[in-house]
Every structure is written in C-alpha cells, then in structure tokens.
Amino acid sequence: MSEEKKALNFIEHIIEEDLASGLSKDKLRFRFPPEPNGYLHIGHTKAIGISFGLGETYNAPVNLRFDDTNPAKEEQEYVDAIKKDIAWLGYQWANELYSSDYFQKLYDWAVQMIKDGKAYVDSQTSEEIAQQKGTPTQVGTNSPYRNRSVEENLDLFQRMKAGEFPAGTHILRAKIDMESPNMLMRDPMMYRIMHTEHHRTGTDWCIYPMYDWTHGESDYIEQVSHSLCSLEFKPHRELYNWFRDHVYDYAKEALPMPPKQREFARLNLSYTIMSKRKLLRLVEEGIVSGWNDPRMPTISGLRRRGYTPNSIRKFIDKVGVAKRENVIDVSLLEFCIREDLNKSANRVMAVLDPVKVVITNYPEDKEEWLEAENNQEDDSAGFRKVPFSREIYIEKEDFKEEAGAKFFRLQLGGEVRLKNAYIIKANSVVKGVNGEITEIHCTYDEDTSKKVKGTLHWVSIKHAITAEIREYDRLFMHESPDSDKDKDFMEYVNPKSLTLKTGYLEPSLADVEVGEQFQFQRLGYFNVDDDSTAEKLVFNKTVGLRDSWAKQKPKPQTNENQNKPKPNLQKRSAISVIQQLGKKYTNLAEEKQLKAKAEIEVLAKDVSYDELEPLFGTAVKKAGTRIATLIALKVMLKNGLERNDAINVFIEKAKEDKNDVLVAEASGI
C-alpha cells in the first residue's frame, strides 16, 4: 500500500475499495442532511467537514438537504441560519434540497408497501404500542391490528391523508419482526397524523413521514452513494437497509444506485452541551441572549465571538475521523483559534483594569506619535502611529509597591519598558482614602537601549477611547455537564461566564467595523461585536493568549511508582516535563539521551492525545521537542491510540528532516 493510502481515514478506505470494485467515480455523491429544528453547533462541523471534505477530495457533488419531517419544531429561521453557517465555513453545496420535496413520492411508496403486505395501519394508543414493543431483553408482541387486510389499510391510510382523523388515532407501521433483537426493527412507525402547518408545504399534508422512513429514501432519491452519519445511528443501519431494499424494487430502473450507510464517531467537546434541545433551553430560560450568544457552541455564536472559518476547519482536521466515541478537550479548539489569529490579527494596546501613571519629567503639553508594528508575524501588516503623553494608563496588576525577584513588571524603584515607547521608573504612589493606589509617579528615560526585564502595554489617557469589553469564560464549570443522570445540567452553568468591563483603547481603534479582530497585547484576542456602533464600541474576548484553565485541571494520578525519587517531575504535568526533556535532547550525550528517552516513554502513559497534538506544529529548528513528541507518540500508538491524518502528516514530515535522530524515531513508528 502506498504512503498516500496509509494516510486515508476509514471512510476514504471504504470509498477507495468501492471504486476499486467497479463503482464509477462520477457516481460518487454525498450529502449533509440537517434537521431545521435549531442552529448548527460545533458538533455538526465534523459531519459538515467530512461530507464536504469528501466532495472536495473526489470532486463529487454534495447536497445540502433539510430533513424537514417535523413541522412542530422546524422553522425557516433555522433553515436560513444553517445555510449561512455552512457558507461561512467556506463550503458550497451542489443542490439545496428538502425531504418535503419528496412527500408525494414517499407516500406513493408507502402505499405500495401496504399493497405488498409490508406496512399496516395501527390504531392502538401510544402507551399500548410502547408496552407491546417489549424491551431489549424481552421480545415484543404483535399489534391486534397487524393482520388488517390490504384493503382496510389502504382505506385508513388514504383517510389519514385526507384529514379525517385527529392526531394520535392511527399510525402507519412497517411490518417487519416484533421479535427482532434490534428494537428498531419491531414494526417501526412510518407515518403519524399531525394537523400542523409545515414551513414549506403549508397545510397540504396532515400526515408526516418519520425520520427513519424519510432519511434513507431521500438518500436513494438523490442517488447518494455514501450516506455518512454519526455512531448513534449504527443500530438504525439495519432498518435503513430494510427500507432501502424494498423501495429499490419499486424504482431500480430509474434509480439504480442504492445508498450505503456508514457511521463515524461524533464530535464530543469538553465543557460543552451538544444537544439542540438543551441549547434551546438555555435560550428560552435567558441564560444566554440567543442562539448566537458568544458563549454558545453554535457556529453563529463562535462566529460572533471571533472564531474564524479557518480555525474551525483546522480543528476538525486535527480531530480526524474515528470509529470510536471520545471527548475532545475544548482547549484544542482554543489552540486552533490562537494559532490562526496569531498570524492574522493586528496587535493593538488596550487597558482593561487601569491605574494612572504620571511621568513627572515629561512636559505637560507635549505629545508624541510613536511608530508601532502591527503584526510581527505578518511582514505585510505594516506599522501605525500611537500617541504618547505625560499621563498614561497601565493595568493595575502590572504594578506592586514591593515585589519579589520574579516580578518583572513595575515596582517602586524598578524600571520597565513601555511597549513601542520609553523606559520608566516608579518613584512614588498616590493613594486614596481607602488606601488604594490612584496614581503612580514615574520618570522616563529616553535611552531605550538599556536592558530591562519587563515590557508593559499602555494607553495615553487623553487620547484613549472607551469601549465595552465582554470577557467570556466557559459556560459550564463541569467537564461533562450533561453526564450526571442525577443532576440537571443547568446546575453546572458558570455564573461568571460573562464579565463586562470598560476598556481604554488606543485611538487607532476608533473606526473599527463589526467582525474585525485584534490582539490586545498581553491580554488576548478580541473582535468587534455585532452590538457595536460608532457611538458605543463593543468588543468580545475571543480567547486568551494562554489556556487559563490548564492550571485548574486536576493533575494526573500517579502510579504505583509515585514514591520513587523523581523530585523534579512531581510538581509538573507529564506533557510539560516531556517538552522540557525535548528542549535539551539534542544537546545531550548518547547515554543521557537514552535515559531521557526512557523517562519520556514512562511519562507518555499520562499524556492525552489532545495534550500531545499541539506539539505537532513545533518549529522545524526545535528538533529536540519534535523527537520527544515522536517518542511519546510511539508509546501512545502502541497503547491503542488510533492514527489519524494529523499523526501521519507529522510522522512523514519528520522523516524528511535533516536531523538523523529525528528521522530514526519517525521511521521506527
């Protein structure tokens, strides 16, 4: 098998095998089939990325089909939002389709199934049907209406369609096997009566097809070659195939391609709710301001918070396509947006918790416009001018009257560099009646060549503009807020998920537009919120410069060797120690390299993939860190970690390196 084939995920392998078995490439067709009963969230981006990604890989059409079979919960608002989100992510669909387009065809096929003795009208109550279905360990029993004649079933079904009966009086069921070990095969419902207006078909119908009947047959009508869905639908595959095989007999000449259902692990994210029903509750109970609240995991919420399409697509690439369920740490998503904005966001200065600094030896009437680099990561970003004057703001936490040797910011008698400006020295403070420092009096030095350890951001007070700053924290305080069956997930809502502040910003931000993104130096990445106006600027904090939650996570439990002497390793996380060992690795003698390698192999057992994966992007010149990453990765793969595209790319890139040790480690995986 070629190196290229090794990098394929399991779905691509299935497609390649089908092509090798004779499926024509021009018959490949995929679809993304959302139900328009809510807004898309981060969990959907995996399904979107898989389906549209395959379309791009194989140059095959991808349909956007709305499975709109439940008019009681579906709205045009959701349709519009879904289309906007997918387009924003950068994907294009071949056709915009709706399951409601097929209501007549589905009805005609259902009539044919009644005629073939494969469907019947049941007139039991929902409670009776539920009881008669049995349990996973106890077989079901046949409905007393199961053996109605074809004529009676046709008559009742036609009258159901005509609106003669109230909701709940009759349903249409498939006649399969009430003793099947798969409860979904125990005469599943195909149609129910609903006197509810549909957002597209209006009052044309008062019976609506069930999802399992509609979904697969819509795939078949559209001649989808590979129907891809998440793992919770795996038990449905047997029913999917049963329905598909029956309608294939009715339409195989016009529709020769029977679709193939395959399942992948859904995206589960820590500290996040993925249920549309639960997200709707957050909206309805006013916990958030709406579906696009920046704390929501919806795509519209992430967009408003400042996430970029590229960061989300990169995140999906890193997560990969797997067959087993797992939970991805939300810090990986945050890492992706940091990495993206680091390259694209201009640096500016803002102070969010100000204390006044008076530079006593700077003339009162003087001001200067100093040159500041916009983004050192982008050579084309250029420079801007920032004003400097006698009175400036700095962050309160950047000053202490007395501080230890490890405090590299401003303290009495100490010096720091002001970003893009001068070096200042703190000489005295002014305090208010409650003892709080209200002013710091400093002197400045025009000799900026001096070496000082600290650099602070600042803004000139008389030039500063104000803005409302919305700082967001995780919406839930529990890593898995809906995992406790004995507690309502709402109990884990973080009461401090939103903090409002007044920020003082450099004047270059006076004319920003909604959606623009910036790095507030030393504070994080921020974007201009939808609520922002020329009269009142509003900024959202997208993400901090570092993972502030990493320190709050419990340390991994040590094993039975915890009492063995390793004093320098016990207070730090395993991944941190691996990084430290990697930094020194290439400078060590061979004997010490072997010792470091053994330590890394032990530490790797306490490292998660989400912790290791960000190291795949380590700079080429940092060969030692990449070697340490490969050593840990080899252990994790041996212990059951499933390979994905990100892993394969990292290994292949390492094999092409000039460092012999790095190449050897990569080749050994």
Side-chain angles (χ1 to χ4, degrees), residues 11 14-16 18-19 22-32 51 54-55 58-63 65 215-229 240-241 244 256-262:
I11 292 176
I14 291 170
I15 294 171
E16 290 293 331
D18 289 342
L19 292 173
L23 176 65
S24 175
K25 192 173 181 180
D26 63 5
K27 298 296 183 185
L28 289 178
R29 187 177 297 273
F30 309 100
R31 87 289 179 267
F32 175 63
S51 294
L54 289 170
Y58 291 99
N59 194 27
V62 182
N63 290 340
R65 184 184 73 239
H215 179 75
E217 281 40 74
S218 297
D219 287 345
Y220 178 50
I221 291 169
E222 294 171 17
Q223 290 291 273
V224 169
S225 60
H226 296 80
S227 172
L228 308 173
C229 55
Y240 183 100
N241 292 344
R244 178 201 64 191
M257 170 73 75
K260 175 188 290 188
Q261 176 178 307
R262 289 296 181 266

Side-chain angles (χ1 to χ4, degrees), residues 484-592:
D484 191 338
K485 295 181 179 179
D486 297 326
K487 281 193 175 183
D488 184 358
F489 76 98
M490 297 286 272
E491 293 183 40
Y492 296 116
V493 169
N494 181 2
K496 298 180 180 178
S497 61
L498 171 61
T499 303
L500 299 180
K501 293 182 177 179
T502 297
Y504 298 87
L505 287 53
E506 65 173 73
S508 68
L509 295 170
D511 299 320
V512 293
E513 296 181 358
V514 169
E516 283 194 80
Q517 297 165 304
F518 301 92
Q519 183 195 104
F520 288 2
Q521 291 183 334
R522 301 177 64 240
L523 298 175
Y525 294 99
F526 293 75
N527 80 308
V528 186
D529 184 68
D530 295 357
D531 292 340
S532 192
T533 65
E535 293 73 32
K536 182 184 178 183
L537 293 178
V538 180
F539 282 82
N540 296 321
K541 185 174 183 178
T542 305
V543 68
L545 297 179
R546 296 173 187 81
D547 182 4
S548 60
W549 278 71
K551 298 176 182 177
Q552 302 178 36
K553 292 180 183 177
K555 295 177 182 176
Q557 291 184 350
T558 52
N559 56 27
E560 63 274 11
N561 297 320
Q562 61 182 354
N563 295 322
K564 292 188 177 181
K566 276 188 187 176
N568 61 321
L569 303 184
Q570 291 190 3
K571 291 185 179 180
R572 299 165 56 196
S573 67
I575 191 64
S576 175
V577 179
I578 287 173
Q579 285 181 272
Q580 189 62 35
L581 291 169
K583 288 178 182 178
K584 302 175 182 178
Y585 199 90
T586 53
N587 295 324
L588 298 175
E590 185 176 354
E591 183 180 343
K592 291 188 176 181

Side-chain angles (χ1 to χ4, degrees), residues 430-439:
V430 176
K431 296 184 179 181
V433 291
N434 58 359
E436 183 181 3
I437 295 172
T438 58
E439 291 183 10

Side-chain angles (χ1 to χ4, degrees), residues 135-199:
T135 68
T137 57
Q138 182 180 359
V139 298
T141 55
N142 288 343
S143 165
Y145 301 101
R146 197 172 195 264
N147 294 319
R148 273 176 163 154
S149 68
V150 169
E151 292 74 21
E152 185 179 4
N153 283 320
L154 286 173
D155 175 64
L156 286 169
F157 191 48
Q158 289 165 354
R159 291 166 64 192
M160 287 167 60
K161 179 179 180 291
E164 291 188 26
F165 305 115
T169 52
H170 304 288
I171 62 170
L172 183 71
R173 296 177 72 176
K175 187 185 288 188
I176 306 180
D177 181 7
M178 291 302 295
E179 296 185 1
S180 172
N182 183 348
M183 290 188 66
L184 294 169
M185 299 296 286
R186 296 180 187 177
D187 291 8
M189 190 191 311
M190 293 175 65
Y191 278 89
R192 77 285 208 199
I193 299 169
M194 292 181 71
H195 295 282
T196 305
E197 185 173 344
H198 190 279
H199 71 98

